[in-house]
Amino acid sequence: MGRAEGRHVLVVGIGSGDPDHLTVGAVRALNETDAVFIVDKGAAASDLRDARRQLCERVIDPAHSYRVVEVALDAVRDRGAGSYDEAVAGWRDERVVAYERLIGGLGPDETGAFLVWGDPTLYDGTLAILDDVRASGHLQFAIDVIPGISSVSALAARHGVALNRSGEAILITTGRRLARDGVPDAIDNVVVMLDAHDAWRAFGDDYDVWWSAYTGMSGERSLAGRLGEQREVIDRERTRARVERGWLFDTFLFRRRR
Ligand SMILES: C[S@@+](CC[C@H](N)C(=O)[O-])C[C@H]1O[C@@H](n2cnc3c(N)ncnc32)[C@H](O)[C@@H]1O
């Protein structure tokens, strides 16, 4: 990757837990970076922070000198008295200020890398926040995005299943949206992420399911089959995981049976 003059920001997808999912491009980018930014929030923060640190130690050449800058942010989502949209706006403002400070800490020709879980283009706010930082006009910097293996790809690979049957559409959605909007009739394949409130339970027994929690990480649990037969065990596993670990990352693929 040729480097222009000036501050440079890399947004590096690091995969969703399995260190083997780091791409060659990500390894190269990390070895060209002066500062690694690790930004975390929420219950999973310390586990995910450790995973990122370990990745850096594993793939960055010990002869390459770089610094790690960590920022812990409060998770304002789902708290507070205001609406969800207001909460997200507050959370985003907080991040814009924090990111501006991180990028402002780079020397005039230095490169800083944000390590993003999975792929930066899927349910991740980093790129939108960097747009806001640029729009604020206080700092100038170039951005490069290095794609990563998303939790959706990791789920499908784990089960050796394609996300859709030939020619079919796929809906990728969150538990919150699923609860609010349901599934359009024309959609047979639904990937559900970020389902803290068990919206998945609304799927009927006319679906097959592929499910995986902590895919590629220690404590991974993966199950698949007819939803009618897997429903109870998935429910039980989710409850147990939340109690034991204090946080849960899991992803579902549902497919309407023919
Ligand atoms: C904020 S989103 C981040 C998604 C990420 N950018 C990606 O590409 O996968 C967090 C959600 O991703 C999913 N997720 C992330 N890592 C996972 C993993 N190792 N196993 C299963 N699901 C995971 C879960 O649905 C979790 O609630």
Side-chain angles (χ1 to χ4, degrees), residues 2-10 32-34 67 103-112 134 139-144:
R3 290 267 180 271
E5 284 188 0
R7 289 192 181 99
H8 200 119
V9 170
L10 302 174
E32 289 174 2
T33 215
D34 301 293
R67 56 192 185 274
I103 298 165
L106 291 172
D109 289 317
E110 278 196 325
T111 297
R134 280 223 274 220
L139 289 172
Q140 289 202 326
F141 53 93
I143 300 181
D144 270 308

PDB file of all heavy atoms in Angstrom, residues 2-10 32-34 67 103-112 134 139-144:
ATOM      1  N   GLY A   2       0.799   2.091  -1.035  1.00  0.00           N
ATOM      2  CA  GLY A   2       1.620   3.296  -1.066  1.00  0.00           C
ATOM      3  C   GLY A   2       1.094   4.315  -0.071  1.00  0.00           C
ATOM      4  O   GLY A   2      -0.103   4.477   0.070  1.00  0.00           O
ATOM      5  N   ARG A   3       1.967   4.999   0.611  1.00  0.00           N
ATOM      6  CA  ARG A   3       1.539   5.953   1.630  1.00  0.00           C
ATOM      7  C   ARG A   3       1.708   7.376   1.131  1.00  0.00           C
ATOM      8  O   ARG A   3       2.807   7.783   0.765  1.00  0.00           O
ATOM      9  CB  ARG A   3       2.383   5.792   2.896  1.00  0.00           C
ATOM     10  CG  ARG A   3       2.088   4.506   3.609  1.00  0.00           C
ATOM     11  CD  ARG A   3       1.007   4.762   4.659  1.00  0.00           C
ATOM     12  NE  ARG A   3       0.705   3.531   5.353  1.00  0.00           N
ATOM     13  CZ  ARG A   3      -0.216   2.662   4.950  1.00  0.00           C
ATOM     14  NH1 ARG A   3      -0.945   2.881   3.895  1.00  0.00           N
ATOM     15  NH2 ARG A   3      -0.436   1.558   5.630  1.00  0.00           N
ATOM     16  N   ALA A   4       0.618   8.154   1.113  1.00  0.00           N
ATOM     17  CA  ALA A   4       0.729   9.566   0.786  1.00  0.00           C
ATOM     18  C   ALA A   4       1.279  10.277   2.020  1.00  0.00           C
ATOM     19  O   ALA A   4       1.328   9.711   3.100  1.00  0.00           O
ATOM     20  CB  ALA A   4      -0.650  10.101   0.433  1.00  0.00           C
ATOM     21  N   GLU A   5       1.677  11.539   1.844  1.00  0.00           N
ATOM     22  CA  GLU A   5       2.127  12.291   3.020  1.00  0.00           C
ATOM     23  C   GLU A   5       0.925  12.668   3.862  1.00  0.00           C
ATOM     24  O   GLU A   5      -0.195  12.750   3.379  1.00  0.00           O
ATOM     25  CB  GLU A   5       2.855  13.548   2.555  1.00  0.00           C
ATOM     26  CG  GLU A   5       4.237  13.213   2.047  1.00  0.00           C
ATOM     27  CD  GLU A   5       5.052  14.460   1.756  1.00  0.00           C
ATOM     28  OE1 GLU A   5       4.542  15.577   1.946  1.00  0.00           O
ATOM     29  OE2 GLU A   5       6.196  14.279   1.332  1.00  0.00           O
ATOM     30  N   GLY A   6       1.169  12.903   5.132  1.00  0.00           N
ATOM     31  CA  GLY A   6       0.086  13.309   6.018  1.00  0.00           C
ATOM     32  C   GLY A   6      -0.342  12.165   6.916  1.00  0.00           C
ATOM     33  O   GLY A   6       0.137  11.043   6.786  1.00  0.00           O
ATOM     34  N   ARG A   7      -1.260  12.491   7.811  1.00  0.00           N
ATOM     35  CA  ARG A   7      -1.749  11.445   8.733  1.00  0.00           C
ATOM     36  C   ARG A   7      -2.563  10.418   7.964  1.00  0.00           C
ATOM     37  O   ARG A   7      -3.334  10.763   7.064  1.00  0.00           O
ATOM     38  CB  ARG A   7      -2.638  12.068   9.796  1.00  0.00           C
ATOM     39  CG  ARG A   7      -1.898  12.899  10.805  1.00  0.00           C
ATOM     40  CD  ARG A   7      -2.819  13.213  11.974  1.00  0.00           C
ATOM     41  NE  ARG A   7      -2.152  14.030  12.943  1.00  0.00           N
ATOM     42  CZ  ARG A   7      -2.288  15.349  13.038  1.00  0.00           C
ATOM     43  NH1 ARG A   7      -3.089  15.999  12.220  1.00  0.00           N
ATOM     44  NH2 ARG A   7      -1.621  16.025  13.947  1.00  0.00           N
ATOM     45  N   HIS A   8      -2.426   9.172   8.377  1.00  0.00           N
ATOM     46  CA  HIS A   8      -3.083   8.081   7.664  1.00  0.00           C
ATOM     47  C   HIS A   8      -3.812   7.203   8.679  1.00  0.00           C
ATOM     48  O   HIS A   8      -3.230   6.822   9.689  1.00  0.00           O
ATOM     49  CB  HIS A   8      -2.006   7.250   6.951  1.00  0.00           C
ATOM     50  CG  HIS A   8      -2.532   6.439   5.842  1.00  0.00           C
ATOM     51  ND1 HIS A   8      -2.137   6.580   4.548  1.00  0.00           N
ATOM     52  CD2 HIS A   8      -3.461   5.472   5.838  1.00  0.00           C
ATOM     53  CE1 HIS A   8      -2.796   5.723   3.789  1.00  0.00           C
ATOM     54  NE2 HIS A   8      -3.606   5.038   4.558  1.00  0.00           N
ATOM     55  N   VAL A   9      -5.053   6.900   8.385  1.00  0.00           N
ATOM     56  CA  VAL A   9      -5.830   6.048   9.293  1.00  0.00           C
ATOM     57  C   VAL A   9      -6.187   4.754   8.574  1.00  0.00           C
ATOM     58  O   VAL A   9      -6.731   4.781   7.457  1.00  0.00           O
ATOM     59  CB  VAL A   9      -7.108   6.777   9.765  1.00  0.00           C
ATOM     60  CG1 VAL A   9      -8.033   5.831  10.513  1.00  0.00           C
ATOM     61  CG2 VAL A   9      -6.743   7.958  10.657  1.00  0.00           C
ATOM     62  N   LEU A  10      -5.883   3.630   9.205  1.00  0.00           N
ATOM     63  CA  LEU A  10      -6.263   2.325   8.667  1.00  0.00           C
ATOM     64  C   LEU A  10      -7.421   1.785   9.498  1.00  0.00           C
ATOM     65  O   LEU A  10      -7.388   1.862  10.726  1.00  0.00           O
ATOM     66  CB  LEU A  10      -5.101   1.342   8.763  1.00  0.00           C
ATOM     67  CG  LEU A  10      -3.804   1.737   8.056  1.00  0.00           C
ATOM     68  CD1 LEU A  10      -2.714   0.716   8.367  1.00  0.00           C
ATOM     69  CD2 LEU A  10      -4.042   1.831   6.560  1.00  0.00           C
ATOM     70  N   GLU A  32       2.800  -1.913   9.301  1.00  0.00           N
ATOM     71  CA  GLU A  32       3.184  -0.590   8.787  1.00  0.00           C
ATOM     72  C   GLU A  32       2.669   0.522   9.688  1.00  0.00           C
ATOM     73  O   GLU A  32       2.733   1.691   9.345  1.00  0.00           O
ATOM     74  CB  GLU A  32       2.595  -0.397   7.378  1.00  0.00           C
ATOM     75  CG  GLU A  32       3.273  -1.270   6.347  1.00  0.00           C
ATOM     76  CD  GLU A  32       2.600  -1.179   4.983  1.00  0.00           C
ATOM     77  OE1 GLU A  32       1.631  -0.402   4.839  1.00  0.00           O
ATOM     78  OE2 GLU A  32       3.047  -1.887   4.070  1.00  0.00           O
ATOM     79  N   THR A  33       2.111   0.137  10.813  1.00  0.00           N
ATOM     80  CA  THR A  33       1.413   1.133  11.613  1.00  0.00           C
ATOM     81  C   THR A  33       2.277   1.667  12.761  1.00  0.00           C
ATOM     82  O   THR A  33       3.093   0.940  13.320  1.00  0.00           O
ATOM     83  CB  THR A  33       0.095   0.494  12.102  1.00  0.00           C
ATOM     84  OG1 THR A  33      -0.890   1.463  12.130  1.00  0.00           O
ATOM     85  CG2 THR A  33       0.196  -0.130  13.444  1.00  0.00           C
ATOM     86  N   ASP A  34       2.099   2.943  13.067  1.00  0.00           N
ATOM     87  CA  ASP A  34       2.837   3.535  14.193  1.00  0.00           C
ATOM     88  C   ASP A  34       2.047   3.421  15.489  1.00  0.00           C
ATOM     89  O   ASP A  34       2.622   3.338  16.564  1.00  0.00           O
ATOM     90  CB  ASP A  34       3.113   5.027  13.911  1.00  0.00           C
ATOM     91  CG  ASP A  34       3.919   5.219  12.641  1.00  0.00           C
ATOM     92  OD1 ASP A  34       5.086   4.804  12.629  1.00  0.00           O
ATOM     93  OD2 ASP A  34       3.367   5.752  11.643  1.00  0.00           O
ATOM     94  N   ARG A  67       3.046   1.740  19.030  1.00  0.00           N
ATOM     95  CA  ARG A  67       2.449   1.921  20.353  1.00  0.00           C
ATOM     96  C   ARG A  67       0.988   1.496  20.308  1.00  0.00           C
ATOM     97  O   ARG A  67       0.351   1.588  19.263  1.00  0.00           O
ATOM     98  CB  ARG A  67       2.588   3.367  20.824  1.00  0.00           C
ATOM     99  CG  ARG A  67       2.010   4.410  19.891  1.00  0.00           C
ATOM    100  CD  ARG A  67       2.434   5.820  20.265  1.00  0.00           C
ATOM    101  NE  ARG A  67       1.779   6.834  19.433  1.00  0.00           N
ATOM    102  CZ  ARG A  67       2.207   7.252  18.265  1.00  0.00           C
ATOM    103  NH1 ARG A  67       3.318   6.737  17.736  1.00  0.00           N
ATOM    104  NH2 ARG A  67       1.544   8.177  17.582  1.00  0.00           N
ATOM    105  N   ILE A 103      -6.598  10.458  16.615  1.00  0.00           N
ATOM    106  CA  ILE A 103      -5.961  10.786  15.329  1.00  0.00           C
ATOM    107  C   ILE A 103      -5.085  12.030  15.474  1.00  0.00           C
ATOM    108  O   ILE A 103      -3.985  12.110  14.919  1.00  0.00           O
ATOM    109  CB  ILE A 103      -7.040  10.964  14.238  1.00  0.00           C
ATOM    110  CG1 ILE A 103      -7.798   9.650  14.059  1.00  0.00           C
ATOM    111  CG2 ILE A 103      -6.420  11.409  12.918  1.00  0.00           C
ATOM    112  CD1 ILE A 103      -9.105   9.776  13.302  1.00  0.00           C
ATOM    113  N   GLY A 104      -5.565  12.974  16.300  1.00  0.00           N
ATOM    114  CA  GLY A 104      -4.774  14.184  16.562  1.00  0.00           C
ATOM    115  C   GLY A 104      -3.457  13.862  17.258  1.00  0.00           C
ATOM    116  O   GLY A 104      -2.490  14.622  17.161  1.00  0.00           O
ATOM    117  N   GLY A 105      -3.399  12.715  17.929  1.00  0.00           N
ATOM    118  CA  GLY A 105      -2.173  12.308  18.613  1.00  0.00           C
ATOM    119  C   GLY A 105      -1.135  11.710  17.680  1.00  0.00           C
ATOM    120  O   GLY A 105      -0.001  11.441  18.086  1.00  0.00           O
ATOM    121  N   LEU A 106      -1.522  11.484  16.415  1.00  0.00           N
ATOM    122  CA  LEU A 106      -0.542  10.967  15.445  1.00  0.00           C
ATOM    123  C   LEU A 106       0.386  12.093  15.006  1.00  0.00           C
ATOM    124  O   LEU A 106      -0.066  13.247  14.850  1.00  0.00           O
ATOM    125  CB  LEU A 106      -1.258  10.424  14.196  1.00  0.00           C
ATOM    126  CG  LEU A 106      -2.083   9.146  14.354  1.00  0.00           C
ATOM    127  CD1 LEU A 106      -2.867   8.881  13.058  1.00  0.00           C
ATOM    128  CD2 LEU A 106      -1.184   7.967  14.686  1.00  0.00           C
ATOM    129  N   GLY A 107       1.645  11.752  14.765  1.00  0.00           N
ATOM    130  CA  GLY A 107       2.559  12.735  14.183  1.00  0.00           C
ATOM    131  C   GLY A 107       2.118  13.067  12.769  1.00  0.00           C
ATOM    132  O   GLY A 107       1.290  12.352  12.187  1.00  0.00           O
ATOM    133  N   PRO A 108       2.675  14.149  12.165  1.00  0.00           N
ATOM    134  CA  PRO A 108       2.186  14.635  10.861  1.00  0.00           C
ATOM    135  C   PRO A 108       2.201  13.585   9.745  1.00  0.00           C
ATOM    136  O   PRO A 108       1.357  13.638   8.855  1.00  0.00           O
ATOM    137  CB  PRO A 108       3.119  15.801  10.528  1.00  0.00           C
ATOM    138  CG  PRO A 108       4.008  16.000  11.706  1.00  0.00           C
ATOM    139  CD  PRO A 108       3.721  14.951  12.745  1.00  0.00           C
ATOM    140  N   ASP A 109       3.140  12.638   9.774  1.00  0.00           N
ATOM    141  CA  ASP A 109       3.182  11.608   8.724  1.00  0.00           C
ATOM    142  C   ASP A 109       3.006  10.199   9.289  1.00  0.00           C
ATOM    143  O   ASP A 109       3.429   9.223   8.674  1.00  0.00           O
ATOM    144  CB  ASP A 109       4.497  11.692   7.934  1.00  0.00           C
ATOM    145  CG  ASP A 109       4.519  12.926   7.050  1.00  0.00           C
ATOM    146  OD1 ASP A 109       3.480  13.215   6.410  1.00  0.00           O
ATOM    147  OD2 ASP A 109       5.544  13.622   7.039  1.00  0.00           O
ATOM    148  N   GLU A 110       2.367  10.113  10.423  1.00  0.00           N
ATOM    149  CA  GLU A 110       2.219   8.785  11.039  1.00  0.00           C
ATOM    150  C   GLU A 110       0.934   8.086  10.592  1.00  0.00           C
ATOM    151  O   GLU A 110      -0.016   8.716  10.110  1.00  0.00           O
ATOM    152  CB  GLU A 110       2.218   8.921  12.564  1.00  0.00           C
ATOM    153  CG  GLU A 110       3.624   9.033  13.154  1.00  0.00           C
ATOM    154  CD  GLU A 110       3.641   8.770  14.656  1.00  0.00           C
ATOM    155  OE1 GLU A 110       2.673   9.143  15.353  1.00  0.00           O
ATOM    156  OE2 GLU A 110       4.633   8.208  15.123  1.00  0.00           O
ATOM    157  N   THR A 111       0.938   6.765  10.809  1.00  0.00           N
ATOM    158  CA  THR A 111      -0.223   5.923  10.504  1.00  0.00           C
ATOM    159  C   THR A 111      -0.774   5.320  11.785  1.00  0.00           C
ATOM    160  O   THR A 111      -0.017   4.810  12.609  1.00  0.00           O
ATOM    161  CB  THR A 111       0.202   4.770   9.562  1.00  0.00           C
ATOM    162  OG1 THR A 111       0.663   5.330   8.341  1.00  0.00           O
ATOM    163  CG2 THR A 111      -0.955   3.829   9.277  1.00  0.00           C
ATOM    164  N   GLY A 112      -2.100   5.404  11.929  1.00  0.00           N
ATOM    165  CA  GLY A 112      -2.759   4.770  13.079  1.00  0.00           C
ATOM    166  C   GLY A 112      -3.800   3.785  12.593  1.00  0.00           C
ATOM    167  O   GLY A 112      -4.457   4.023  11.569  1.00  0.00           O
ATOM    168  N   ARG A 134     -13.947  13.678  10.014  1.00  0.00           N
ATOM    169  CA  ARG A 134     -13.467  14.458   8.862  1.00  0.00           C
ATOM    170  C   ARG A 134     -14.356  15.672   8.612  1.00  0.00           C
ATOM    171  O   ARG A 134     -13.890  16.768   8.322  1.00  0.00           O
ATOM    172  CB  ARG A 134     -13.442  13.576   7.614  1.00  0.00           C
ATOM    173  CG  ARG A 134     -12.210  12.698   7.582  1.00  0.00           C
ATOM    174  CD  ARG A 134     -11.604  12.646   6.220  1.00  0.00           C
ATOM    175  NE  ARG A 134     -12.239  11.621   5.425  1.00  0.00           N
ATOM    176  CZ  ARG A 134     -11.581  10.817   4.603  1.00  0.00           C
ATOM    177  NH1 ARG A 134     -10.280  10.930   4.473  1.00  0.00           N
ATOM    178  NH2 ARG A 134     -12.210   9.925   3.907  1.00  0.00           N
ATOM    179  N   LEU A 139      -9.285  18.094  11.460  1.00  0.00           N
ATOM    180  CA  LEU A 139      -8.112  17.286  11.115  1.00  0.00           C
ATOM    181  C   LEU A 139      -8.219  16.805   9.675  1.00  0.00           C
ATOM    182  O   LEU A 139      -9.318  16.525   9.203  1.00  0.00           O
ATOM    183  CB  LEU A 139      -8.070  16.017  11.979  1.00  0.00           C
ATOM    184  CG  LEU A 139      -7.735  16.127  13.456  1.00  0.00           C
ATOM    185  CD1 LEU A 139      -7.957  14.765  14.109  1.00  0.00           C
ATOM    186  CD2 LEU A 139      -6.297  16.571  13.638  1.00  0.00           C
ATOM    187  N   GLN A 140      -7.059  16.663   9.029  1.00  0.00           N
ATOM    188  CA  GLN A 140      -7.073  16.057   7.696  1.00  0.00           C
ATOM    189  C   GLN A 140      -6.319  14.736   7.766  1.00  0.00           C
ATOM    190  O   GLN A 140      -5.251  14.660   8.387  1.00  0.00           O
ATOM    191  CB  GLN A 140      -6.382  16.977   6.707  1.00  0.00           C
ATOM    192  CG  GLN A 140      -7.221  18.209   6.420  1.00  0.00           C
ATOM    193  CD  GLN A 140      -6.824  18.840   5.102  1.00  0.00           C
ATOM    194  OE1 GLN A 140      -5.654  18.809   4.743  1.00  0.00           O
ATOM    195  NE2 GLN A 140      -7.787  19.415   4.403  1.00  0.00           N
ATOM    196  N   PHE A 141      -6.892  13.719   7.152  1.00  0.00           N
ATOM    197  CA  PHE A 141      -6.203  12.425   7.157  1.00  0.00           C
ATOM    198  C   PHE A 141      -6.777  11.556   6.045  1.00  0.00           C
ATOM    199  O   PHE A 141      -7.926  11.732   5.626  1.00  0.00           O
ATOM    200  CB  PHE A 141      -6.333  11.728   8.517  1.00  0.00           C
ATOM    201  CG  PHE A 141      -7.744  11.581   9.020  1.00  0.00           C
ATOM    202  CD1 PHE A 141      -8.487  10.436   8.777  1.00  0.00           C
ATOM    203  CD2 PHE A 141      -8.347  12.614   9.751  1.00  0.00           C
ATOM    204  CE1 PHE A 141      -9.787  10.305   9.244  1.00  0.00           C
ATOM    205  CE2 PHE A 141      -9.650  12.492  10.212  1.00  0.00           C
ATOM    206  CZ  PHE A 141     -10.378  11.341   9.959  1.00  0.00           C
ATOM    207  N   ALA A 142      -5.960  10.617   5.571  1.00  0.00           N
ATOM    208  CA  ALA A 142      -6.424   9.648   4.568  1.00  0.00           C
ATOM    209  C   ALA A 142      -6.929   8.404   5.301  1.00  0.00           C
ATOM    210  O   ALA A 142      -6.477   8.115   6.411  1.00  0.00           O
ATOM    211  CB  ALA A 142      -5.262   9.268   3.661  1.00  0.00           C
ATOM    212  N   ILE A 143      -7.873   7.698   4.670  1.00  0.00           N
ATOM    213  CA  ILE A 143      -8.400   6.459   5.280  1.00  0.00           C
ATOM    214  C   ILE A 143      -8.246   5.303   4.298  1.00  0.00           C
ATOM    215  O   ILE A 143      -8.551   5.449   3.115  1.00  0.00           O
ATOM    216  CB  ILE A 143      -9.899   6.588   5.613  1.00  0.00           C
ATOM    217  CG1 ILE A 143     -10.160   7.728   6.591  1.00  0.00           C
ATOM    218  CG2 ILE A 143     -10.448   5.283   6.196  1.00  0.00           C
ATOM    219  CD1 ILE A 143     -11.629   7.892   6.968  1.00  0.00           C
ATOM    220  N   ASP A 144      -7.789   4.170   4.805  1.00  0.00           N
ATOM    221  CA  ASP A 144      -7.833   2.924   4.023  1.00  0.00           C
ATOM    222  C   ASP A 144      -8.542   1.866   4.847  1.00  0.00           C
ATOM    223  O   ASP A 144      -8.298   1.748   6.051  1.00  0.00           O
ATOM    224  CB  ASP A 144      -6.418   2.422   3.708  1.00  0.00           C
ATOM    225  CG  ASP A 144      -5.910   3.000   2.410  1.00  0.00           C
ATOM    226  OD1 ASP A 144      -6.627   2.882   1.393  1.00  0.00           O
ATOM    227  OD2 ASP A 144      -4.812   3.586   2.426  1.00  0.00           O
TER     228      ASP A 144
END
